[in-house]
Amino acid sequence: MCQVEEEYHGPLLREELPSVSRQCVKCKEASAAVVIRAGDAYCRGCFKEYFIHKFRAMLGKNRLIFPGEKVLLAVSGGPSSCSMLSQVQEGLSQNAHKKLRFLPGIVYIDEGGAVGQSVEHRRRTVEELRAVFRATGFPFLMVPLEQVLDLPSSVVLSAPGAPEQEAGAYKAAVDHFLLSDGSSGVTAGQQQETPPPEVQEAHTHSLQRLLGSARTLTAREELLNILRQHLLVHTARSAGYSKLMLGDSCTRLAVKLLSSISLGRGAQLAHDTGFSDSRYGDTILVRPMRDYSAKEIAYYNRMFSVPSVFTAGLDTKTADKSSIQHLTESFVIKLQADFPSTVSTIYRTSEKLQSCKGSASAEGDRCLLCVCALDTAAENASAFSATLISEQLSQTKSPGESRQAPEWTAPASQCCSIVGGELCGNRGGGCCSSAKASESPPLRSLLCYSCQLTIKDMSSEEVLPQYILSEAERRLRRSQLREEIRDFLLEDEADEG
Ligand SMILES: [Zn+2]
Ligand SMILES: [Zn+2]
């Protein structure tokens, strides 16, 4: 209710430039240099303090990163992740009491191949970022996205994590750390200068074929997000990092929250937007920038000369309506301009979400792509079952057809798809599009609702990377085996009866 008032006054105050006479609300001495929200005018010094404090407070509140732990910072070159990098640098340079106590490293994923950049263009971007990373003194890795094609299947498995830490464990670890001379061992480690691996042209082509097989930009972006995350997690795992820091700002998370809902990822929201994300088990994803708006970050970066490097994404220079994600983004940005408090309300919602503690202990209960617990066993009132029913109905159009099976459990006796509003008429064997699918249970049965939609938008599943396909095969074989065993057990029981 009070928001109406905020909305009314908000835009007026927001546009007001800090005049020379206006004072900082914090120290009440210096003149204001930046207005973050209506009424919150800070001087340069207080803004810096506020910004730095927020980062430490976010990490301190969550107590997830232990002293001496190896933490990999995923830096894309954008303002938010570069700001995160500068905050970690800042935190490590503080005096002992306030000092951050983990061991940072940096990873950059070069996605130039996915967006069709020339080799030369990619080399330039990598060089620019290398200069930024070198200046931090942290070890860093530059990984071309093409490497995702060579990942092992283990990346889509949730590895057992560290045993649950007791409540006092964090404090004990800090105390122990301080006793054992906190200054030693917290140096950033040797900076490695491993040259980025050569990218083979054939690999770039396969990657482009893979992303190009998505018929919509929405699906392409989802696919890219999934591949990027797999590569990040694998890089963290193989280099011995147990935490992966992502630079998502509050604005980015508001976009993610709304677009995730539109994409049918409601069940995974807590993982996708929360402070920490433990879907991969041993490697925890953390989002320490989630309290900063894109605007605050832009101000800070400009005032304190935090370098960032522009890299084009899939939706750069596309129309607003080109994808669900892009449309949501422009919606949120417009919302931010006119009703700033609404955006933080969206984002605060994400703080309250909890992932349903489902029984996703077995690998078969997790989505093959996004590694979240499968939501496809949901009750009747879900979007998923509505989709199933409508697919079922559209297939049983002609009288006399069997009315049982949805498309992806399609028996060989029934055609799977509709050609020009009619069933294609082919029964048994040579059906038009899913003759293959009727031989073995399809890949889609291993995916969550949202990832099913993404795969459905692809012209071919066969272009998926080998690590996904072979893991799919393994899981399908296993479930087949389980099915056979179950039959055997039932028979056994019947005999006894
Ligand atoms: Zn001040
Ligand atoms: Zn999924």
Side-chain angles (χ1 to χ4, degrees):
M1 258 170 267
C2 53
Q3 269 187 0
V4 178
E5 238 172 34
E6 266 178 59
E7 281 161 12
Y8 179 75
H9 293 295
L12 286 176
L13 283 168
R14 190 177 50 80
E15 294 306 327
E16 195 181 323
L17 285 168
S19 59
V20 190
S21 59
R22 191 153 180 195
Q23 281 182 342
C24 168
V25 292
K26 191 92 177 291
C27 62
K28 310 228 170 11
E29 280 171 15
S31 58
V34 53
V35 182
I36 307 162
R37 283 176 301 269
D40 281 359
Y42 286 164
C43 71
R44 198 182 143 91
C46 291
F47 177 56
K48 186 170 190 186
E49 203 174 296
Y50 151 88
F51 201 89
I52 291 173
H53 171 76
K54 210 146 96 161
F55 189 77
R56 196 187 322 280
M58 179 55 80
L59 293 180
K61 188 175 78 184
N62 291 284
R63 300 193 150 202
L64 222 75
I65 297 175
F66 278 55
E69 192 169 4
K70 280 181 85 181
V71 178
L72 191 59
L73 316 177
V75 178
S76 68
S80 190
S81 57
C82 283
S83 203
M84 172 175 81
L85 176 59
S86 87
Q87 285 308 300
V88 171
Q89 264 181 287
E90 178 72 44
L92 287 168
S93 69
Q94 293 276 324
N95 57 43
H97 180 63
K98 287 182 164 178
K99 197 177 167 113
L100 293 178
R101 302 186 183 93
F102 55 82
L103 304 172
I106 306 170
V107 60
Y108 165 71
I109 307 276
D110 167 18
E111 296 174 14
V115 293
Q117 282 170 358
S118 68
V119 177
E120 179 53 29
H121 188 147
R122 296 176 69 177
R123 202 190 51 78
R124 271 204 310 272
T125 311
V126 166
E127 281 311 316
E128 248 180 284
L129 277 160
R130 189 198 299 277
V132 173
F133 297 162
R134 212 178 267 155
T136 64
F138 302 160
F140 61 89
L141 297 154
M142 317 285 268
V143 187
L145 184 64
E146 281 84 349
Q147 285 204 358
V148 81
L149 300 169
D150 296 325
L151 290 186
S153 290
S154 60
V155 75
V156 285
L157 299 176
S158 179
E164 281 286 309
Q165 301 282 1
E166 291 165 39
Y170 179 82
K171 201 184 170 301
V174 172
D175 290 347
H176 174 77
F177 186 81
L178 288 175
L179 276 175
S180 63
D181 183 16
S183 58
S184 66
V186 205
T187 46
Q190 280 296 329
Q191 197 166 33
Q192 298 146 353
E193 274 288 331
T194 39
E198 283 292 311
V199 180
Q200 287 168 7
E201 219 174 306
H203 268 61
T204 307
H205 284 307
S206 317
L207 179 69
Q208 285 168 350
R209 202 166 50 239
L210 163 58
L211 291 168
S213 74
R215 279 180 290 243
T216 59
L217 188 59
T218 301
R220 209 168 304 150
E221 287 188 23
E222 278 301 284
L223 214 50
L224 179 59
N225 285 341
I226 288 164
L227 296 177
R228 181 194 304 118
Q229 199 172 74
H230 288 171
L231 189 53
L232 283 173
V233 169
H234 175 74
T235 309
R237 271 181 184 158
S238 41
Y241 289 91
S242 45
K243 298 282 183 333
L244 183 63
M245 263 192 189
L246 307 173
D248 297 295
S249 67
C250 142
T251 315
R252 168 71 27 213
L253 289 173
V255 172
K256 217 172 184 179
L257 185 117
L258 292 181
S259 57
S260 289
I261 292 171
S262 325
L263 294 168
R265 293 188 59 77
Q268 295 85 355
L269 271 185
H271 278 318
D272 288 348
T273 62
F275 172 76
S276 72
D277 176 352
S278 56
R279 77 180 80 167
Y280 291 95
D282 59 347
T283 309
I284 314 275
L285 280 52
V286 288
R287 303 183 177 92
M289 298 300 285
R290 67 196 309 277
D291 250 359
Y292 299 97
S293 71
K295 186 179 159 193
E296 278 173 335
I297 291 168
Y299 271 130
Y300 185 89
N301 287 3
R302 201 168 50 196
M303 286 175 93
F304 301 99
S305 316
V306 176
S308 58
V309 176
F310 174 78
T311 50
L314 279 179
D315 62 356
T316 305
K317 288 190 188 160
T318 58
D320 277 0
K321 288 181 183 167
S322 56
S323 73
I324 291 178
Q325 297 91 333
H326 200 47
L327 182 62
T328 316
E329 186 179 344
S330 64
F331 168 70
V332 168
I333 287 168
K334 282 171 196 151
L335 199 65
Q336 174 80 47
D338 295 335
F339 308 102
S341 51
T342 321
V343 173
S344 59
T345 307
I346 299 172
Y347 143 78
R348 301 251 168 258
T349 314
S350 72
E351 280 185 326
K352 298 184 180 74
L353 295 168
Q354 301 236 316
S355 57
C356 47
K357 295 255 189 299
S359 56
S361 46
E363 66 197 32
D365 299 334
R366 288 183 178 273
C367 173
L368 178 66
L369 290 184
C370 70
V371 199
C372 284
L374 282 182
D375 53 358
T376 43
E379 58 274 26
N380 291 336
S382 68
F384 175 65
S385 68
T387 314
L388 278 184
I389 291 168
S390 89
E391 282 199 11
Q392 232 170 304
L393 289 174
S394 63
Q395 275 165 46
T396 52
K397 212 172 159 193
S398 54
E401 290 286 346
S402 142
R403 279 165 206 276
Q404 289 150 5
E407 184 185 325
W408 52 82
T409 56
S413 63
Q414 190 189 348
C415 170
C416 55
S417 69
I418 297 162
V419 182
E422 296 280 325
L423 289 167
C424 80
N426 251 336
R427 293 197 210 157
C431 168
C432 52
S433 71
S434 77
K436 231 178 131 56
S438 54
E439 285 159 17
S440 61
L443 186 111
R444 272 199 252 161
S445 63
L446 303 170
L447 305 177
C448 71
Y449 172 58
S450 179
C451 292
Q452 285 188 11
L453 296 180
T454 301
I455 292 296
K456 217 168 163 185
D457 266 349
M458 288 176 68
S459 54
S460 166
E461 290 170 6
E462 278 144 48
V463 292
L464 284 171
Q466 195 51 46
Y467 72 94
I468 294 177
L469 292 176
S470 47
E471 176 61 16
E473 205 175 297
R474 196 182 69 92
R475 286 189 196 180
L476 290 170
R477 250 195 338 260
R478 275 184 85 127
S479 67
Q480 232 165 11
L481 198 69
R482 206 176 299 141
E483 202 61 19
E484 283 164 25
I485 293 171
R486 198 181 66 173
D487 282 352
F488 174 73
L489 290 175
L490 280 175
E491 255 180 51
D492 212 34
E493 234 168 52
D495 280 352
E496 275 170 24

